[in-house]
Amino acid sequence: MQISEQDSSVRLKVTYKTPEALIDEYTRSVGQGSVTLETRRSLTRGTRFVFEMQAEGVAQPVEVVGEVVHITPRPGGRYHLTVKYATGVDRVALDAVLQRIFAQEQEKMRKYPRIPLNVRAIESTPFSPVFYVRDISRGGVGMEVDAPALPPMVKVGTPFLLEMELAPGPLLLPGEVVWASTAFRAHSPVTPIFGVGFTEPLPKDTAERLESLLALDALPPGPWWARVSFGQEAISRMP
């Protein structure tokens, strides 16, 4: 990570090993709507902040623009800067990263190439854990559970509904759980994960809006959110 100041803007450069890692961080950070950074310099409110995200193997970096909206002094001569993301993004660079991901997925002979996502999701059951949308494709979605074990309702064959708030309104994607397992993650020894297959065929309007989501072209300003439902509740909410 490298921070520099240029043309009254602050530029933060970060390089990722893969296009997938870049998109995962892009959707996680921008999806939160803002980010807090610790620096040794106190900037003024309104300072333009440019996040330059570079992936190995992709020529042009993705630039995301933000604005400093809050400064908090910290011990040791440091400062916490809250940067709010703007709604626009350099589509040329972002599309190049997405195309690289699609090309790599096709080389793996996947039926439906997957796009990384990192969006927090909630479920209405009391004391339910937090879910995360981790990847999505034309055929389904991969989910992660912030819990030591899979919740009881996550079983193969269980009806499932994913609702995501997009710029034109909510997108409802019905399906069912097709696999469930655990995986090792850096932040947790064991992370419950599961996969969902979407109902086929999806309604034409739903399929078209899903394509916009896969292009990261229909997401509203952050914070982004999603809702998941299982079983009879999912069925009752399905379009």
Side-chain angles (χ1 to χ4, degrees), residues 24 27 115-119 132-136 141-145 185 187 193:
D24 182 80
T27 56
I115 293 297
L117 275 183
N118 200 326
V119 179
Y132 290 92
V133 182
R134 294 312 312 267
D135 63 68
I136 193 164
V141 63
M143 303 292 303
E144 182 177 300
V145 189
R185 296 283 191 268
H187 62 274
I193 57 176

Side-chain angles (χ1 to χ4, degrees), residues 175-199:
E176 69 174 38
V177 178
V178 293
W179 61 264
S181 183
T182 56
F184 291 94
R185 296 283 191 268
H187 62 274
S188 174
V190 177
T191 301
I193 57 176
F194 63 97
V196 171
F198 294 144
T199 300

Side-chain angles (χ1 to χ4, degrees), residues 22 32 39 42 66 69 81 90 106 117 124-125 127 140 168 173 178 188:
L22 186 155
Q32 292 177 347
T39 74
S42 176
V69 295
L81 307 177
D90 181 358
Q106 289 172 350
L117 275 183
S124 62
T125 303
F127 309 109
L173 294 166
V178 293
S188 174

Side-chain angles (χ1 to χ4, degrees), residues 4-234:
S4 61
E5 194 164 348
Q6 181 180 359
D7 300 330
S8 71
S9 297
V10 175
R11 184 173 293 267
L12 186 150
K13 300 181 181 181
V14 185
T15 300
Y16 300 89
K17 291 185 177 181
T18 65
E20 290 85 353
L22 186 155
I23 295 298
D24 182 80
E25 179 61 25
Y26 170 82
T27 56
R28 185 189 70 82
S29 298
V30 177
Q32 292 177 347
S34 63
V35 64
T36 299
L37 305 171
E38 184 177 273
T39 74
R40 293 186 178 274
R41 292 181 297 170
S42 176
L43 302 175
T44 59
R45 292 182 60 182
T47 299
R48 186 173 182 265
F49 220 101
V50 180
F51 296 87
E52 185 176 308
M53 309 174 75
Q54 179 74 61
E56 294 182 7
V58 181
Q60 187 173 348
V62 175
E63 292 190 353
V64 182
V65 178
E67 178 183 318
V68 176
V69 295
H70 191 71
I71 305 99
T72 304
R74 302 294 296 172
R78 294 180 177 272
Y79 301 87
H80 279 181
L81 307 177
T82 300
V83 181
K84 183 178 180 180
Y85 292 104
T87 56
V89 67
D90 181 358
R91 286 302 317 188
V92 173
L94 185 61
D95 287 341
V97 176
L98 292 173
Q99 289 170 7
R100 181 65 180 269
I101 292 175
F102 272 109
Q104 291 175 346
E105 288 285 289
Q106 289 172 350
E107 290 175 0
K108 298 175 184 177
M109 304 298 290
R110 296 190 189 277
K111 182 179 180 181
Y112 298 113
R114 301 179 299 186
I115 293 297
L117 275 183
N118 200 326
V119 179
R120 188 175 186 270
I122 60 172
E123 199 262 341
S124 62
T125 303
F127 309 109
S128 175
V130 174
F131 296 80
Y132 290 92
V133 182
R134 294 312 312 267
D135 63 68
I136 193 164
S137 72
R138 297 180 181 92
V141 63
M143 303 292 303
E144 182 177 300
V145 189
D146 187 7
L150 285 167
M153 66 278 202
V154 181
K155 298 179 180 178
V156 173
T158 300
F160 175 90
L161 180 68
L162 173 66
E163 301 174 63
M164 290 192 64
E165 190 66 30
L166 304 184
L171 171 64
L172 277 64
L173 294 166
E176 69 174 38
V177 178
V178 293
W179 61 264
S181 183
T182 56
F184 291 94
R185 296 283 191 268
H187 62 274
S188 174
V190 177
T191 301
I193 57 176
F194 63 97
V196 171
F198 294 144
T199 300
E200 294 186 348
L202 290 170
K204 181 180 178 181
D205 177 67
T206 301
E208 290 176 350
R209 297 184 63 205
L210 174 57
E211 289 294 329
S212 295
L213 175 58
L214 293 173
L216 303 181
D217 195 30
L219 289 160
W224 301 340
W225 68 271
R227 174 174 177 168
V228 294
S229 304
F230 299 85
Q232 289 301 316
E233 182 185 1

